[in-house]
Amino acid sequence: MCGIFAVSGERNDAGSMVLKGLKKLEYRGYDSWGIAVREGEKIDVEKQVGKISGVKQKFPPATEAMGHTRWATHGGVTKENAHPHQVGKVTLVHNGIFENYLEAKKSLDDWKFHSETDTEVIAALLDREIQGGKNTAEAIRAVAEKIEGRFAILVMVEGEPGIWAARRGSPLILGRGETETFIASDIPAFLEYTTTVNYLDDGEMVHIHGAQANFSNLKTGTPVDKRNITVDWTTEEAEKGEFAHFMIKEIFEQKQTIIRAINHEDEKLRQAAALLKQANGVYFIACGTAHKVAAAAEYFFADISGRKINVVPAGEMPYFERFVHEGTALIAISQSGETADVLEVLERGKKKGAKILSITNVETSSVARIADAHLPIFAGPEKAVASTKAATAQMALCFLLAHADAEMRERGSINRGREILRTTASSINDLLNPRYEEHVRDVAEKIVDRPNLFIIGRGALYPMALEAAIKIQEVSYIHAQGFAAGELKHGPIALIENRVPCLVLGDDPETVSNAMELKARGARIIGIAPTPAEVFDEWLRVPDCNGSQAIASIIPVQILAYHLAILKGLDPDMPRNLAKSVTVK
Ligand code: F6R
């Protein structure tokens, strides 16, 4: 949610470096952008509405610059609302939400606001503190105290070299070059310059100037020591390469990512499973696609280890919070590990003594760091907004975790689970080829003009029907809805008429007869299953995966969603209104 990037160094092209870095963060927000460049005593700001990807802007020579790609929260998509915001000597970019900004704004009646944003209020508060005699560090600390909500800010002050950053909740990572320092909301922004990073933790601030970075506590100002960490991400992983879009690249990467996700020592899996076993109530907490993964995990655990787990979308957890206490296990699934709703549940749960296990793609994310135990999925950077490879990797890991849970009673269960997943991964490898993609594209051509689409599945394929709907909605903007296979006839079947496409996940007799009920009302049936039932008008083959069918069955839908978007002339990597990492509530 909003991309932030800054550089302070010796090279004289800081403006273009920031432009380039922001293009790599565009998946975080893409309705407008802006860059501030320090030119001697002055700070020049360039802002524009629209995507940054095609921009070819020239900047004056400078060694320091910072910028922002926006995902609008306060105020529409206008040049005035784009960041950076300038008030007096202060230039500021911001990710997050200043929840009590209206109240704070009332105390600033001497400043005429140019935007509708909460960000400009932070800039105005800072400028006032500086004018009142505080140095910049003191001013940032004082203003941070006034902000309710999560935020990450970067600040440049006229006539004062260096860039300040502070965070509470929203991610910021420093890249440490030999002669320069970068600050970004995600690593790909500076990956071509350095793989040495420092994570700015919650409640910390930093001042960078050239290769120098001085960290301190955001409340007390006490200096903080940081360890340099080397990340093993490669620039290729973070680039599209020969693929037209990140989404299709990441779909094809599932050839390797499912195997990578299960690359955990048995002991580590056993320890994670022990956390569940000792728990007094287990809650899987996640949002969006990750929540559908958790819902599939509910079926895996019921089937494999006989454990009933509770699956709650993070935003709904406040209604069940009375059941969280010492001894409750909260299992957070999150690709980014920065989703605000998830983090909030974990923070509140931790205070009550709950134990936390996290399953994320970013090992150093806030979710992973708050957890008592962490299982990374090792999927590599996922940049398309629509989650694909992370979702199947999370599912594979949950499937294996259910086997680790069963191992307590049934020796050899982890090995059996791993064997099933290896076979699944190898059959997915066979599936993901250009011929299969072509076939899915043909099916997409036949249904692309249809405004509504339904998906059914039962068992663990029911949450996959819900996930299929998310994938299709978010990239193709076709109205898609998923249902438990037996549920459609309890109401929604009234919506079925001639040529309405229905994706049927599975070929078991009950699901096939549900498909027949739909076909009898004119639906066009697209079967996604190991065998071609007679009722299918189109058949997208998936391998028979022995309990892990959910993992394989979502892949054709991902490809279908991608091609529906392409056929409609849409950019599947940057769907409207969405951003990759939802760091606001
Ligand atoms: C949809 C999608 C979102 C995310 C959700 C949670 O394709 O990607 O629904 O799954 O925003 O994000 P993470 O997993 O980063 O917590």
Side-chain angles (χ1 to χ4, degrees):
M1 199 123 288
C2 301
I4 286 180
F5 185 48
V7 58
S8 171
E10 284 182 355
R11 304 184 218 201
N12 238 348
D13 58 349
S16 353
M17 283 168 92
V18 169
L19 176 65
K20 202 166 165 198
L22 285 180
K23 286 181 181 176
K24 296 186 179 155
L25 294 182
E26 199 172 24
Y27 63 93
R28 300 180 70 87
Y30 34 82
D31 49 43
S32 52
W33 62 273
I35 293 177
V37 172
R38 188 187 293 284
E39 267 203 280
E41 286 296 295
K42 284 188 60 63
I43 297 167
D44 276 350
V45 168
E46 172 68 34
K47 307 203 249 196
Q48 277 176 35
V49 164
K51 291 182 179 170
I52 200 171
S53 38
V55 172
K56 291 192 179 70
Q57 182 90 19
K58 289 257 176 290
F59 292 91
T63 55
E64 255 175 27
M66 67 180 188
H68 184 270
T69 56
R70 182 167 184 247
W71 186 84
T73 56
H74 293 64
V77 181
T78 63
K79 192 168 162 175
E80 290 70 36
N81 289 337
H83 305 206
H85 289 279
Q86 288 190 298
V87 178
K89 289 183 160 206
V90 171
T91 304
L92 180 132
V93 301
H94 165 225
N95 176 18
I97 291 190
F98 182 0
E99 289 171 3
N100 50 328
Y101 83 109
L102 283 175
E103 202 183 304
K105 203 171 177 176
K106 284 189 205 140
S107 66
L108 294 162
D109 45 13
D110 49 336
W111 174 251
K112 187 178 169 317
F113 284 89
H114 298 90
S115 75
E116 303 149 278
T117 63
D118 49 346
T119 306
E120 195 180 354
V121 180
I122 306 178
L125 287 173
L126 266 176
D127 185 61
R128 193 162 72 176
E129 295 287 357
I130 291 170
Q131 281 194 37
K134 289 201 168 81
N135 66 33
T136 307
E138 289 164 349
I140 292 175
R141 286 202 292 273
V143 172
E145 281 294 299
K146 296 186 178 147
I147 301 177
E148 280 169 25
R150 298 174 181 278
F151 65 84
I153 52 169
L154 297 188
V155 181
M156 284 166 90
V157 178
E158 252 176 45
E160 196 183 294
I163 299 174
W164 293 89
R167 85 163 259 198
R168 198 167 65 214
S170 305
L172 280 180
I173 304 146
L174 275 78
R176 308 300 301 270
E178 277 186 11
T179 56
E180 68 235 318
T181 306
F182 307 91
I183 308 180
S185 32
D186 202 358
I187 294 167
F190 54 70
L191 203 52
E192 66 175 291
Y193 309 107
T194 182
T195 51
T196 306
V197 308
N198 300 134
Y199 288 89
L200 190 67
D201 281 306
D202 253 2
E204 287 180 352
M205 61 191 271
V206 65
H207 178 250
I208 63 163
H209 186 213
Q212 292 291 320
N214 295 309
F215 295 86
S216 57
N217 183 291
L218 185 55
K219 235 188 167 75
T220 60
T222 319
V224 172
D225 274 342
K226 282 279 160 183
R227 204 162 48 91
N228 280 353
I229 296 171
T230 307
V231 290
D232 58 1
W233 291 20
T234 63
T235 35
E236 292 75 45
E237 270 183 324
E239 301 294 343
K240 279 191 287 223
E242 82 237 34
F243 290 90
H245 296 95
F246 279 110
M247 184 174 174
I248 193 73
K249 175 183 180 244
E250 288 159 8
I251 290 172
F252 271 77
E253 279 173 0
Q254 292 172 111
K255 287 179 177 185
Q256 301 101 33
T257 45
I258 290 163
I259 283 291
R260 291 217 300 252
I262 57 171
N263 190 14
H264 286 281
E265 303 282 336
D266 287 9
E267 193 41 41
K268 190 149 188 215
L269 293 164
R270 273 196 209 103
Q271 281 167 7
L275 202 139
L276 271 69
K277 194 177 161 56
Q278 288 150 12
N280 189 354
V282 178
Y283 289 83
F284 273 60
I285 309 295
C287 294
T289 289
H291 169 254
K292 305 305 169 280
V293 168
E298 184 180 358
Y299 286 87
F300 296 157
F301 276 84
D303 180 37
I304 299 162
S305 66
R307 183 180 300 282
K308 175 73 182 95
I309 59 172
N310 302 289
V311 176
V312 186
E316 293 300 308
M317 197 56 195
Y319 305 100
F320 300 101
E321 215 165 77
R322 57 193 286 217
F323 303 114
V324 176
H325 38 73
E326 202 167 343
T328 305
L330 299 176
I331 322 290
I333 307 183
S334 171
Q335 188 285 128
S336 62
E338 300 295 348
T339 301
D341 283 334
V342 175
L343 266 169
E344 207 157 287
V345 172
L346 301 184
E347 280 161 6
R348 285 201 301 263
K350 197 161 183 121
K351 281 194 192 123
K352 291 174 108 182
K355 287 274 178 242
I356 300 170
L357 169 67
S358 65
I359 296 178
T360 78
N361 195 23
V362 184
E363 282 192 65
T364 43
S365 59
S366 308
V367 167
R369 279 182 291 155
I370 199 178
D372 299 287
H374 176 54
L375 290 174
I377 59 166
F378 307 121
E382 187 181 70
K383 294 187 88 178
V385 163
S387 185
T388 54
K389 62 174 180 174
T392 49
Q394 289 160 349
M395 263 193 284
L397 189 49
C398 288
F399 186 80
L400 196 58
L401 191 58
H403 279 86
D405 192 26
E407 177 94 20
M408 312 266 180
R409 278 178 284 120
E410 213 183 301
R411 271 172 69 89
S413 175
I414 298 185
N415 280 345
R416 265 194 305 285
R418 212 179 246 119
E419 217 27 67
I420 295 173
L421 288 165
R422 284 204 183 107
T423 316
T424 304
S426 121
S427 6
I428 285 169
N429 204 341
D430 294 343
L431 197 71
L432 283 168
N433 60 56
R435 212 154 27 95
Y436 189 78
E437 188 188 350
E438 195 58 42
H439 176 43
V440 180
R441 189 189 158 90
D442 288 347
V443 174
E445 266 172 8
K446 290 180 186 157
I447 61 171
V448 67
D449 64 332
R450 305 281 83 208
N452 300 304
L453 188 153
F454 299 95
I455 310 116
I456 59 168
R458 53 168 28 81
L461 294 179
Y462 163 41
M464 287 307 98
L466 303 179
E467 164 55 9
I470 297 190
K471 281 294 90 71
I472 293 168
Q473 292 157 0
E474 70 182 325
V475 298
S476 75
Y477 314 154
I478 291 172
H479 169 238
Q481 258 184 291
F483 293 94
E487 278 293 299
L488 215 73
K489 61 175 169 291
H490 295 286
I493 202 161
L495 297 168
I496 304 297
E497 52 187 358
N498 225 12
R499 291 184 58 223
V500 171
C502 293
L503 305 188
V504 174
L505 309 182
D507 51 16
D508 60 281
E510 289 93 340
T511 305
V512 166
S513 69
N514 295 139
M516 280 154 85
E517 292 157 9
L518 300 175
K519 187 149 177 158
R521 276 123 193 123
R524 171 178 216 136
I525 306 293
I526 299 154
I528 298 182
T531 54
E534 221 181 285
V535 68
F536 297 165
D537 295 299
E538 317 285 341
W539 173 48
L540 297 175
R541 184 185 69 80
V542 285
D544 197 343
C545 291
N546 191 10
S548 65
Q549 200 63 34
I551 301 174
S553 300
I554 198 63
I555 293 176
V557 186
Q558 297 169 345
I559 305 174
L560 185 73
Y562 172 78
H563 280 292
L564 287 170
I566 299 295
L567 289 166
K568 290 182 76 175
L570 302 169
D571 179 347
D573 283 350
M574 291 184 221
R576 71 181 172 209
N577 306 340
L578 289 167
K580 182 69 183 161
S581 174
V582 186
T583 54
V584 292
K585 282 199 290 171

